[in-house]
Amino acid sequence: MLDPRRHKQLEKLIAKLGIPVTDEINWSLLDLALTHPTLSQTANYQQLEFVGDSVVRLAASELLLETYPDATVGEFSAIRKVLVSDQTLAEIAQSFGFDNYLLIANSAAGDSAGKGSRLADAFEAVLGALYLSTTTMALVRPWLDPILSDLAIEIRNDPALHNYKDALQEWTQGKYKLLPEYKISEIDTGHGSEERFIAEVWLKEECLGEGKGRTKKSAEQAAAKEAFLALIA
Amino acid sequence: MLDPRRHKQLEKLIAKLGIPVTDEINWSLLDLALTHPTLSQTANYQQLEFVGDSVVRLAASELLLETYPDATVGEFSAIRKVLVSDQTLAEIAQSFGFDNYLLIANSAAGDSAGKGSRLADAFEAVLGALYLSTTTMALVRPWLDPILSDLAIEIRNDPALHNYKDALQEWTQGKYKLLPEYKISEIDTGHGSEERFIAEVWLKEECLGEGKGRTKKSAEQAAAKEAFLALIA
């Protein structure tokens, strides 16, 4: 039996998400979904997170297909990858103040570097708990759809917002089962130069794009951007 | 409107899967799920495959959690990875003769090297079509669960069973962000010879392993096995 105060607290979160507070919800699962492994090695959110990661992927897939029936599968994959990324999920969780509902050992709560992945994990676990409550999307999609939908618009307008390298890789793997390769040279040895490195991105025998940057990473991102935008154009 | 002969054909497949032939099934979606991109650039299985890939992942996650409530999440992930791999899905599709239901241009049908991924794609697409027919797992899990369940037992007993190539790829991508490359030669032109092909698997400039087999695929698996076992030793 769930402690009545914890129950009340979870009801508050559910109401915040815009979900009707009903008996359909499996409150014990929800409690588990918001219990960090530092509190219990066995009764924590990990298994629900495992299910929830598939739930959010499916919810995103359905939404994208319904919203953009004419988009290519490459585009779908690239957008979905960002939607289900830890970064995006942590941002959504943060916007609902999941932090305040997650039971966690004090020692771990202070680890601010791990906060993002903790929030993403808990968010997936909550989706898992809601899905398993009815084994349908009935408690998930009504409130999650509008959020994913707004994000999908942002991402479509600026896929880079998050990650052109990831987006490109997703695309080439989906289409050719190959990873793009980056070739980098240092062209301006002055440290701090905005054009210190030049990166080319290759797929099979073809150079898909190139870009410059102050770091190897930014040069690669610039090259990936050029390649990705050309591919989805 | 679906051609009545095609409709009959799809009913046969549905019956084979053990699903009741009802109006719940969206037959046009199912038709699409079994239409290869060589027949139509736009009306083909690709979008449904995109959804179905999440459907099978969710079905496998639910099943594993129900069947092995005490397994670790690491174990879950390892088993799920094999369950949802192209190889496993192609094998299931093959066992139901999906080949006979897939509409495909003659030119592409002859491409036997692509057969595995074609079957896996079509299988995912069919799962997508069945899921979207009711937007529940009602048409998916009853027949898919026993299949995945048997496979999960096999995989738990021998995690490498299905897939040294996948295991190796997982390893090289995780460690080097690179895919291994296979080089194949025919060394014994006698059809049916157990040592007809020899495969080498390379990573960067290094040959990691080699293996022989009756088919290109089995030679690759043998090479991947040698490489993988050496790497994890």
Side-chain angles (χ1 to χ4, degrees), chain A residues 113-133:
Chain A
K115 191 179 168 192
S117 68
R118 207 154 69 213
L119 281 171
D121 293 350
F123 189 74
E124 287 179 337
V126 166
L127 293 181
L130 291 172
Y131 173 82
L132 292 174
S133 291

Side-chain angles (χ1 to χ4, degrees), chain B residues 78-79 82-83 150-162:
Chain B
I79 299 176
V82 180
L83 286 179
D150 285 353
L151 285 169
I153 292 168
E154 271 184 51
I155 297 160
R156 280 195 109 199
N157 290 337
D158 178 5
L161 180 65
H162 280 267

Side-chain angles (χ1 to χ4, degrees), chain B residues 7 54 161:
Chain B
H7 199 298
S54 304
L161 180 65

Side-chain angles (χ1 to χ4, degrees), chain A:
Chain A
M1 281 291 93
L2 213 50
D3 168 74
R5 273 173 312 177
R6 175 67 165 163
H7 198 298
K8 271 259 164 297
Q9 193 194 30
L10 295 175
E11 281 188 354
K12 246 173 84 180
L13 174 63
I14 287 296
K16 226 184 201 177
L17 296 175
I19 303 173
V21 174
T22 68
D23 286 345
E24 271 195 323
I25 295 164
N26 185 329
W27 298 97
S28 316
L29 278 189
L30 193 62
D31 175 48
L32 208 57
L34 290 161
T35 301
H36 191 262
T38 49
L39 276 201
S40 164
Q41 276 216 322
T42 49
N44 59 49
Y45 64 44
Q46 288 180 319
Q47 290 189 328
L48 290 167
E49 176 202 346
F50 174 74
V51 174
D53 136 286
S54 304
V55 171
V56 65
R57 209 175 144 95
L58 179 54
S61 309
E62 285 187 71
L63 175 80
L64 290 172
L65 188 61
E66 290 164 13
T67 318
Y68 306 107
D70 300 325
T72 66
V73 168
E75 216 178 339
F76 279 152
S77 303
I79 299 176
R80 182 174 69 183
K81 192 177 171 61
V82 180
L83 285 180
V84 306
S85 69
D86 271 10
Q87 190 188 333
T88 301
L89 300 183
E91 281 166 14
I92 303 175
Q94 177 73 23
S95 74
F96 286 108
F98 267 53
D99 238 16
N100 305 320
Y101 303 91
L102 181 63
L103 302 178
I104 183 170
N106 278 334
S107 54
D111 164 28
S112 59
K115 191 179 168 192
S117 68
R118 207 154 69 213
L119 281 171
D121 293 350
F123 189 74
E124 287 179 337
V126 166
L127 293 181
L130 291 172
Y131 173 82
L132 292 174
S133 291
T134 65
T135 61
T136 68
M137 292 288 184
L139 297 173
V140 173
R141 294 199 54 197
W143 62 275
L144 188 59
D145 271 12
I147 299 169
L148 294 183
S149 177
D150 285 353
L151 284 168
I153 292 168
E154 269 184 53
I155 298 161
R156 281 196 108 199
N157 288 338
D158 180 7
L161 187 59
H162 305 247
N163 209 329
Y164 278 111
K165 274 183 75 177
D166 273 9
L168 179 64
Q169 171 171 330
E170 182 79 356
W171 198 93
T172 61
Q173 263 196 294
K175 186 124 178 157
Y176 299 110
K177 310 223 184 257
L178 286 174
L179 296 177
E181 282 180 33
Y182 293 87
K183 295 180 184 167
I184 302 197
S185 338
E186 193 167 7
I187 47 174
D188 176 351
T189 52
H191 278 252
S193 154
E194 283 305 320
E195 303 203 335
R196 182 167 166 205
F197 292 102
I198 184 164
E200 291 175 359
V201 56
W202 288 72
L203 189 72
K204 290 184 285 188
E205 312 290 297
E206 196 187 347
C207 177
L208 300 178
E210 66 171 54
K212 293 172 183 167
R214 199 166 52 81
T215 62
K216 288 180 186 174
K217 202 164 180 174
S218 60
E220 285 180 358
Q221 281 288 355
K225 179 175 177 177
E226 184 174 290
F228 183 73
L229 293 180
L231 287 170
I232 66 167

